[in-house]
Amino acid sequence: MNHTHADNERRELLEQIRAIEFMTIDLNLYLNTHPNDRRALNEYNYYTRQLQALRKEYEMRYGPLTNFGYSLSQYPWAWINEPWPWEEDHYMEGC
Amino acid sequence: MWVYEKKLQYPVRIKNPNPKMAKYIITQYGGPDGELAASLRYLSQRYHMPIPEAKGVLNDIGTEELAHFEIVGAMVYQLMKGACPEEIKMADMGTYYADHDNAVYPSTGTGVPFTAAYIQSKGDPIADLHEDLAAEQKARATYENLIKLADDPDVIDPLRFLREREIVHFQRFGEVLQKVREYMESKKYF
Ligand SMILES: [Fe+2]
């Protein structure tokens, strides 16, 4: 199955978000048991700022990543747009 | 409360259906050492943690496990989605198919439905944290077994990611246990 160019760009941006978010998750867990580690905290804030910028860029181009008042929606209501995460890059046809 | 983020923590892109592999992997969805059990365990135990570090770790690892629950669900979904009844029969997945078609249902590979009997919430932080350390090791061991059973890189890749996370969680729980011990020592609480 071929993905369109726009679709590939979307996936690439999502991949970047995933990588940066992974850093924030891992640092968050670490900081929970090392709350006075200033270096880790600075890193956490550094990646969080990057993540916020990337999320904003993604949402402006491809629609909301979060619901319940965390992101704005264009008309019509874009939250329900496919693909959902479990359908991402999903190639098979049903039997 | 929780807010949903419309992406997987780690991508799942399985090109070839494989009901046999789905049968093996589904235990990490609804089985004894699976992600649902992990999440419910930590999110239930967090209420009785005595220090902020412990509340934070249980809250956040419990939340990350929900993201893992979703990754495993996506794997089972994609492994089952394109499979024909004939293939499902060949994979010895017919009993599952009879009850659930190609759907994703929290159970073990042999069809035992998910139960909260897999977890404990003891109200004793030391006892609970020991359970959590063991749970992370059991989940790691399960992922290692699954990696040995798999031959498709599309399947092995997310399993490796999940295995790595169990090791990090084990590390954090160990640190929390130490801090809770010190706290209790300081309170002269035995
Ligand atoms: Fe875990």
Side-chain angles (χ1 to χ4, degrees):
Chain A
M1 186 167 135
N2 294 316
H3 298 304
T4 63
H5 179 63
D7 210 29
N8 281 336
E9 278 187 349
R10 188 183 70 81
R11 274 158 225 268
E12 231 163 78
L13 189 51
L14 200 57
E15 226 32 77
Q16 281 181 51
I17 290 172
R18 214 174 248 138
I20 302 292
E21 195 184 64
F22 179 77
M23 297 307 291
T24 65
I25 292 170
D26 210 39
L27 283 161
N28 185 146
L29 295 188
Y30 172 84
L31 281 161
N32 286 349
T33 53
H34 305 79
N36 300 317
D37 188 330
R38 200 182 288 274
R39 219 181 110 191
L41 181 59
N42 287 341
E43 269 187 67
Y44 177 82
N45 286 336
Y46 168 79
Y47 286 117
T48 297
R49 264 187 221 107
Q50 273 195 21
L51 183 59
Q52 285 169 349
L54 282 171
R55 275 212 190 102
K56 202 167 167 190
E57 187 188 337
Y58 182 97
E59 292 187 323
M60 266 163 49
R61 281 157 71 172
Y62 306 112
L65 269 174
T66 46
N67 58 353
F68 292 175
Y70 279 78
S71 337
L72 300 165
S73 174
Q74 293 156 324
Y75 179 88
W77 179 239
W79 175 246
I80 56 171
N81 289 356
E82 295 186 309
W84 285 82
W86 53 91
E87 298 163 337
E88 193 69 42
D89 248 328
H90 194 244
Y91 305 77
M92 295 97 58
E93 294 301 312
C95 184
Chain B
M1 79 169 287
W2 277 267
V3 175
Y4 185 71
E5 193 176 15
K6 207 171 169 185
K7 61 175 250 308
L8 296 181
Q9 191 194 0
Y10 195 86
V12 177
R13 299 166 179 141
I14 299 170
K15 293 178 231 32
N16 305 307
N18 184 341
K20 190 155 230 164
M21 207 57 226
K23 185 178 179 169
Y24 300 148
I25 287 175
I26 201 165
T27 194
Q28 281 307 90
Y29 193 71
D33 305 316
E35 300 291 354
L36 179 59
S39 183
L40 290 182
R41 178 185 296 114
Y42 309 148
L43 293 178
S44 300
Q45 291 175 352
R46 67 186 165 150
Y47 300 102
H48 282 89
M49 287 295 143
I51 55 170
E53 292 93 330
K55 290 172 203 174
V57 163
L58 283 166
N59 185 78
D60 295 351
I61 294 183
T63 300
E64 191 184 351
E65 305 292 15
L66 279 178
H68 299 171
F69 179 62
E70 185 182 36
I71 292 171
V72 177
M75 293 183 82
V76 172
Y77 168 70
Q78 294 184 16
L79 287 165
M80 285 298 284
K81 192 181 173 228
C84 306
E86 198 52 42
E87 287 178 88
I88 289 167
K89 229 162 87 181
M90 295 277 286
D92 206 18
M93 201 46 176
T95 46
Y96 182 92
Y97 181 79
D99 284 333
H100 309 295
D101 199 314
N102 289 35
V104 181
Y105 177 75
S107 68
T108 67
T110 50
V112 181
F114 178 79
T115 164
Y118 293 146
I119 69 166
Q120 177 57 294
S121 184
K122 197 69 190 167
D124 180 307
I126 299 289
D128 280 348
L129 287 166
H130 276 93
E131 173 177 330
D132 303 344
L133 286 159
E136 294 296 334
Q137 289 300 339
K138 289 188 277 183
R140 175 195 54 77
T142 307
Y143 282 119
E144 285 172 10
N145 294 342
L146 290 171
I147 288 165
K148 284 177 212 151
L149 289 165
D151 48 19
D152 180 349
D154 292 351
V155 172
I156 292 171
D157 196 41
L159 290 176
R160 283 216 179 107
F161 172 80
L162 292 165
R163 177 191 170 273
E164 285 297 313
R165 295 310 292 158
E166 308 305 1
I167 294 168
V168 172
H169 293 171
F170 178 78
Q171 172 75 25
R172 299 284 94 88
F173 281 131
E175 292 159 0
V176 165
L177 177 61
Q178 184 58 33
K179 281 178 186 290
V180 169
R181 275 219 176 98
E182 282 163 16
Y183 169 81
M184 288 186 152
E185 202 67 31
S186 77
K187 297 221 74 164
K188 295 256 181 281
Y189 175 164
F190 298 104

